[in-house]
Amino acid sequence: MQKMCIILVGPTAVGKTAMAIKLAQHFNTAIISADSRQCYNELSIGVAKPSEKEMQGIPHYFINSHSVKDAFSAADFEAYAMKKVQQLFVTKDLVILVGGTGLYIKAFIEGLDQIPPISALVQEKVMTAYNEGGLFWLQEQVRQDDPVFFETGEIQNPQRMLRALEVKWTTGKSITEFKTHQKKERPFRVLQFGLELPRALLYNRINDRVIQMINEGLVDEVCNLIPYRSLNALQTVGYRELFDYFDGIISLNRAIELIKQHTRNYAKRQMTWFKKDTSINWIDASDEGNAFQAIIQQVL
C-alpha cells in the first residue's frame, strides 16, 4: 500500500483543527501542523494554538517546536515536515498535515526554489526600517527595489514583502529570479481537502474568535511579548494591533476592531491562494459530520 498524506487546508476559523483531530482519531495517526505561527512557544492565544485538551492525545508536530528568536522559513518547514513524515511512515500508512500557511503547504508538496541565505544583519536592517515606516514604507520600498515582485507578488502580506527586500538587498536580484517552478517528486500520495464556509458565517466565526481571544487574555500575552516585537514572528495579526495600543496610537476597542478586520482580510487572502490550486477537493464545513464523511469517502 502506498503511503498517503492527507492535507487539510482552508481559511482561519473554518474548523481545520477540529476536523484534523477527528480524522487522526479515525485513522489512528498523527498530525503535522502547517501553521507558520503555532510553532512558536511564546505565541499561544493570538495564533489559536490548540490546547492539550483540544488535541485529545493525538500526537502533534510543529507546535511549540521553536522560539520566536529562531529564524525559520518555508524552506526550513519543507525539510522539517519531510523528515517528520518519513519518520511517521515507519509505523503509519497515513499522516495528516493541516494548516493555513499556503507557502508552507506548497513547499511540502512541491518543494521550493533555493534562495541564498540571508544574513542576520540584513534581516535586522529590513525589520528596523519596517518598524519605523510601517506597511506604506514597505510597499513603497518594494515597488522601488523589486518592481517585478511588486507587480506579481502579495503586496498586502508583510512577510512576503520583507522576504523580497531581504533577497534584493542581499543578492541585488529580484526574488522572482530564483523561481524555477520545478516541482519535486514525493515518494507518497498526496490528497488535499479544503474546508470552506459561506463568507458571512466565516466572518462571524472570526469576529467571535477575536472576542474569545481577548477574554482568554490576549492583551496580557501581547504585553509580555513587547521585548520581541521587532522579530519577524511578531509581525502577525493580533499582535501588531495591540503593540499600537500599548504605544498609545489607538484605543483598545479600536485595536480589537482592527484585529477582526485584518483577520477577515487574511482569511480572504488565504482563500485566494488556495483556490488557485485545482487539486484541492473543497468541502462545505457548515456541518462537521457531513464534512467528515465526505473526506472519509474520498480517502477510502
Side-chain angles (χ1 to χ4, degrees):
M1 176 180 177
Q2 186 181 20
K3 303 293 185 178
M4 178 190 293
C5 187
I6 294 177
I7 300 182
L8 196 61
V9 305
T12 186
V14 78
K16 297 186 298 295
T17 296
M19 181 61 71
I21 290 170
K22 196 169 183 178
L23 289 167
Q25 289 172 330
H26 180 83
F27 290 110
N28 186 30
T29 190
I31 294 171
I32 301 173
S33 169
D35 186 295
S36 64
R37 292 299 181 261
Q38 290 184 355
C39 62
Y40 295 119
N41 277 306
E42 298 87 348
L43 310 186
S44 183
I45 299 171
V47 296
K49 186 182 294 179
S51 65
E52 290 293 331
K53 182 179 179 181
E54 287 174 313
M55 289 192 278
Q56 298 185 44
I58 298 296
H60 279 65
Y61 300 96
F62 203 60
I63 288 183
N64 291 329
S65 54
H66 295 77
S67 167
V68 292
K69 292 174 279 189
D70 298 331
F72 203 85
S73 67
D76 294 322
F77 176 79
E78 177 191 358
Y80 174 99
M82 285 299 298
K83 180 179 179 180
K84 184 58 64 178
V85 79
Q86 294 294 358
Q87 291 172 346
L88 291 169
F89 278 150
V90 172
T91 56
K92 308 290 184 184
D93 290 327
L94 182 152
V95 174
I96 296 168
L97 186 140
V98 58
T101 303
L103 189 60
Y104 278 23
I105 293 163
K106 180 181 175 66
F108 177 76
I109 297 174
E110 303 178 1
L112 286 178
D113 299 311
Q114 292 299 314
I115 294 177
I118 308 299
S119 71
L121 188 64
V122 170
Q123 289 179 328
E124 183 178 354
K125 183 179 178 182
V126 172
M127 188 58 68
T128 299
Y130 172 48
N131 286 330
E132 291 175 355
L135 181 62
F136 178 79
W137 171 85
L138 184 58
Q139 291 171 328
E140 182 61 20
Q141 195 67 43
V142 170
R143 186 186 69 80
Q144 293 178 18
D145 291 0
D146 193 345
V148 177
F149 176 83
F150 185 82
E151 289 298 324
T152 60
E154 297 178 68
I155 61 169
Q156 295 299 324
N157 187 320
Q159 283 75 37
R160 301 286 184 271
M161 289 188 291
L162 288 167
R163 183 66 170 164
L165 272 190
E166 289 172 354
V167 171
K168 180 66 176 183
W169 290 6
T170 297
T171 67
K173 298 179 180 179
S174 169
I175 193 172
T176 60
E177 293 185 45
F178 294 95
K179 298 182 184 299
T180 63
H181 304 293
Q182 292 182 341
K183 297 181 180 180
K184 295 179 182 177
E185 293 294 324
R186 299 304 191 197
F188 50 84
R189 183 184 174 201
V190 171
L191 196 55
Q192 287 193 85
F193 296 96
L195 298 183
E196 60 182 341
L197 288 169
R199 180 174 295 183
L201 178 56
L202 179 65
Y203 285 3
N204 283 338
R205 281 198 187 183
I206 288 171
N207 294 339
D208 290 344
R209 175 185 275 185
V210 171
I211 296 302
Q212 181 182 348
M213 288 176 172
I214 296 297
N215 292 337
E216 289 177 353
L218 179 60
V219 176
D220 288 340
E221 175 173 299
V222 177
C223 183
N224 292 330
L225 291 167
I226 288 176
Y228 305 114
R229 64 181 297 175
S230 64
L231 299 177
N232 185 57
L234 274 300
Q235 312 310 309
T236 302
V237 175
Y239 293 85
R240 288 192 62 86
E241 297 85 353
L242 286 172
F243 288 143
D244 286 344
Y245 159 65
F246 288 122
D247 288 341
I249 298 172
I250 56 178
S251 68
L252 179 57
N253 285 339
R254 179 57 178 160
I256 293 170
E257 289 307 309
L258 284 174
I259 294 171
K260 292 178 182 178
Q261 177 187 327
H262 294 160
T263 306
R264 294 192 301 265
N265 294 344
Y266 175 57
K268 185 177 181 181
R269 291 198 302 274
Q270 286 176 300
M271 287 301 289
T272 299
W273 173 287
F274 290 126
K275 285 290 186 177
K276 292 177 182 177
D277 188 343
T278 56
S279 66
I280 295 175
N281 302 290
W282 288 97
I283 306 290
D284 184 350
S286 300
D287 185 307
E288 186 181 275
N290 288 342
F292 174 74
Q293 290 300 325
I295 293 173
I296 295 299
Q297 289 172 8
Q298 293 191 54
V299 172
L300 300 178

